[in-house]
Amino acid sequence: MNDDILSHYMEAGALAKRFRDKAAAMVVPGESILELVDTIEQAIRDEGAGIAFPLNISINEDAAHDTAGPGDERLFSEGDVVKVDLGVHIEGYVADTATTVDLGDNALLVEASRAALNAALALVRPGVTTGEMGTVIQHEIESRGFRPVANLTGHGLSHFSLHGEPMIPNISMNGGAVIKEGMVFAVEPFASSGTGMVSDSNRTLIYSQIASRGVRLPSAKRVMDQIQDRRSLPFAKRWLTGDKIDLALSTLKRSGVVRGYPVLHDCSGSLVSQAEHTLIVTEDGCVITTL
Ligand code: MN
Ligand code: MN
């Protein structure tokens, strides 16, 4: 990795950490989710950095991919378990980091994903396998009485790309990828009081472009104009302006130009925590960019 790229990753990491902590401090009962995400996303833009994906605020059994919708009136409540998952990029080099804010009495659940993340990070060096990381993640979470979310994983990061190799499982696995110097990836254990499997809910607030193809529908064209500069990185429905946005998005989805990321949830009444850092593998360990 050359020095320019390394400095972009480090700068993105420092900003992501700062805005993650600032966002987490705004998670207070009675505070508006829409106001939080608007404030933090604007602060990232004001810094001259890029938003790698819409600020994810996922509550209780919702594990990931929730954010404020247009005109969202939801407020944080006493007792909520709130995941704040934030991504910043500098020239396309991404930092992805998350923390959980406990507005109730779920300190052990929050500790489970945090301890799992720390244990996995402590293992990272060339030659270790992603399967070994999954084993320690599962152990830390289960030893606290929770289930790791088996169908969510950590992931490699590359230029303008969020979900590449290697995949870092949150459960024990034989083999897996061998970690090599220079790899950049995010590790993100989720601990759940529910089933440990997430599925799509019926709400979708985040999308990304997956193909470039001409579209005729005027409202769809307007959306395409507005997401052009995303370079395939995810965007929020609430960022779009103009009429007939629902029609535009469903048309673009049907024609395979965009995909949606439905809110992912565990079973009703369960609680999920998450912790996430981005790292760069070095000769004998790793540098955590979002620490
Ligand atoms: Mn994340
Ligand atoms: Mn991630």
Side-chain angles (χ1 to χ4, degrees):
M1 181 181 303
N2 75 41
D3 288 352
D4 276 353
I5 295 176
L6 178 63
S7 77
H8 292 335
Y9 272 123
M10 294 308 293
E11 189 187 345
L15 289 172
K17 169 215 159 73
R18 171 146 57 96
F19 291 119
R20 176 200 66 215
D21 293 346
K22 197 175 166 192
M26 290 178 73
V27 177
V28 173
E31 172 75 29
S32 149
I33 297 172
L34 178 58
E35 196 177 306
L36 186 160
V37 298
D38 276 348
T39 302
I40 299 296
E41 288 175 354
Q42 191 53 47
I44 294 170
R45 292 187 197 98
D46 289 346
E47 199 67 40
I51 295 172
F53 51 82
L55 180 47
N56 280 215
I57 302 289
S58 307
I59 302 177
N60 297 339
E61 72 261 35
D62 294 333
H65 298 169
D66 203 355
T67 189
D72 203 316
E73 293 183 341
R74 289 178 296 159
L75 308 177
F76 296 112
S77 302
E78 300 278 356
D80 283 349
V81 172
V82 181
K83 279 74 65 187
V84 173
D85 191 341
L86 178 141
V88 168
H89 75 85
I90 300 290
E91 308 287 345
Y93 298 99
V94 174
D96 181 1
T97 182
T99 190
T100 300
V101 180
D102 172 27
L103 297 180
D105 187 16
N106 293 286
L108 191 61
L109 177 70
V110 173
E111 185 196 290
S113 52
R114 214 164 269 168
L117 175 59
N118 289 338
L121 293 174
L123 273 187
V124 176
R125 60 183 160 71
V128 169
T129 66
T130 57
E132 292 170 271
M133 295 179 69
T135 300
V136 301
I137 289 171
Q138 178 168 10
H139 173 75
E140 293 294 331
I141 292 172
E142 288 183 346
S143 68
R144 289 170 176 81
F146 302 103
R147 292 199 166 98
V149 174
N151 60 341
L152 290 173
T153 69
H155 50 91
L157 293 162
S158 55
H159 198 218
F160 282 106
S161 166
L162 291 174
H163 291 109
E165 296 298 313
M167 180 268 282
I168 315 294
N170 287 326
I171 53 170
S172 186
M173 230 183 75
N174 283 323
V178 178
I179 290 165
K180 297 188 179 67
E181 185 179 355
M183 278 182 168
V184 182
F185 57 85
V187 183
E188 51 180 315
F190 291 79
S192 178
S193 68
T195 65
M197 291 292 285
V198 293
S199 57
D200 291 353
S201 77
N202 58 12
R203 292 189 305 125
T204 303
L205 298 162
I206 298 173
Y207 297 83
S208 70
Q209 185 178 354
I210 51 172
S212 42
R213 199 171 296 153
V215 286
R216 258 180 250 141
L217 189 73
S219 61
K221 268 195 175 130
R222 272 199 303 276
V223 167
M224 291 307 291
D225 287 343
Q226 294 174 60
I227 66 172
Q228 222 50 251
D229 61 346
R230 292 303 293 156
R231 302 267 307 257
S232 88
L233 291 174
F235 61 91
K237 182 178 170 184
R238 78 184 132 77
W239 294 352
L240 303 173
T241 57
D243 292 335
K244 300 183 180 166
I245 287 167
D246 282 311
L247 173 68
L249 287 171
S250 63
T251 304
L252 289 167
K253 249 171 78 174
R254 217 173 328 106
S255 52
V257 176
V258 307
R259 61 157 291 186
Y261 297 87
V263 175
L264 295 170
H265 58 183
D266 201 329
C267 60
S268 177
S270 65
L271 298 171
V272 179
S273 74
Q274 175 199 19
E276 178 177 27
H277 278 306
T278 293
L279 64 85
I280 303 170
V281 181
T282 60
E283 195 181 353
D284 56 0
C286 68
V287 176
I288 301 165
T289 68
T290 50
L291 202 56

